[in-house]
Every structure is written in structure tokens, then in C-alpha cells.
């Protein structure tokens, strides 16, 4: 079955950086587009970024374009989210999922990783 495990979250100061990882198993990772989303306290799940199976194409939400970069290593079955210039409003639980764009289905997402941006 599909298993996704996010890691790399933590507490970071405004303006700082973090790199999140998502280890995938149970499906043909190298043939599957992947994406990241987040859920802030009291808010719905927000899609952030997607990457195609081969890593050639990426797609970003306006809220993170230019600050976040999605990448993948198919040899390691892992997708990454490099986050920089972090703001307090980026505080959320971050999830990865199968899919590419805002229509991605996050029902098989992992437990998520908490990112807190605070001084």
C-alpha cells in the first residue's frame, strides 16, 4: 500500500530555511508525479507545489513561488521541499502526496511534519 513519511520540520526563525523530505514506498514512485501541501491551524489543506515523475516540470502556488523549491531523487524514492525566506504564515503541518497540481488527492498523505516559524 501507499506509504508516505514526511520529515525535516522544526522551529525556524523568520527569514530562515528548512528542507523537508518525503520517503515513499508501496507504489511506482519514479512513474508518479508528487506534490506538497500544508495545513495551518484552523485552516483547510493548501496545495503548494508539484513535480512530474521525471522531475522535469514543477508547478507552484503563488504563495510560495520564488521561496520554495520542489525536487526529487527517484533513486531514493524521496521528494523534497526546500523552503527559504520563511514567514510566520508558513507555520503549518506539511504533507506530501501523489499528484501534481491543486487537484491532487491528499487522502493517502503521511502523518506530516510540523514547521513552526517564530522568533
Amino acid at each position: 500500500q501507499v506509504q508516505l513519511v514526511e520529515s525535516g520540520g522544526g522551529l525556524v526563525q523568520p527569514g530562515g530555511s528548512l528542507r523537508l523530505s518525503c520517503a515513499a514506498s508501496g507504489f511506482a514512485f519514479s512513474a508518479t508525479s508528487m506534490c506538497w501541501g500544508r495545513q495551518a491551524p484552523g485552516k483547510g489543506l493548501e496545495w503548494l507545489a508539484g513535480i512530474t515523475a521525471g522531475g522535469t516540470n514543477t508547478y507552484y502556488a503563488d504563495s510560495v513561488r520564488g521561496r520554495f523549491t520542489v525536487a526529487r531523487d527517484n533513486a531514493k524514492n524521496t521528494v523534497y521541499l526546500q523552503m527559504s525566506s520563511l514567514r510566520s504564515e508558513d507555520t503549518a503541518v506539511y504533507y506530501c502526496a501523489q499528484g501534481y497540481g491543486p487537484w491532487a488527492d491528499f487522502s493517502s498523505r503521511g502523518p506530516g511534519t510540523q514547521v513552526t516559524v517564530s522568533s
Side-chain angles (χ1 to χ4, degrees):
Q1 67 279 20
V2 173
Q3 186 170 13
L4 301 167
V5 180
E6 303 89 348
S7 63
L11 174 64
V12 61
Q13 292 186 340
S17 299
L18 276 178
R19 188 178 81 156
L20 307 182
S21 300
C22 170
S25 62
F27 64 99
F29 180 79
S30 61
T32 304
S33 295
M34 297 294 295
C35 62
W36 285 92
R38 67 186 178 191
Q39 188 163 22
K43 297 188 177 181
L45 200 145
E46 176 189 13
W47 173 87
L48 299 176
I51 185 166
T52 51
T56 303
N57 295 312
T58 55
Y59 184 19
Y60 295 94
D62 289 345
S63 58
V64 303
R65 185 178 295 113
R67 299 190 300 124
F68 290 11
T69 302
V70 60
R72 66 191 296 159
D73 185 338
N74 285 347
K76 296 182 178 180
N77 279 16
T78 301
V79 61
Y80 304 98
L81 187 67
Q82 178 68 48
M83 308 186 295
S84 60
S85 302
L86 285 163
R87 308 165 180 166
S88 58
E89 54 263 40
D90 294 318
T91 295
V93 179
Y94 284 70
Y95 302 96
C96 65
Q98 298 172 304
Y100 183 59
W103 55 87
D105 180 4
F106 280 82
S107 61
S108 296
R109 66 184 183 273
T113 187
Q114 174 71 49
V115 172
T116 302
V117 184
S118 175
S119 55

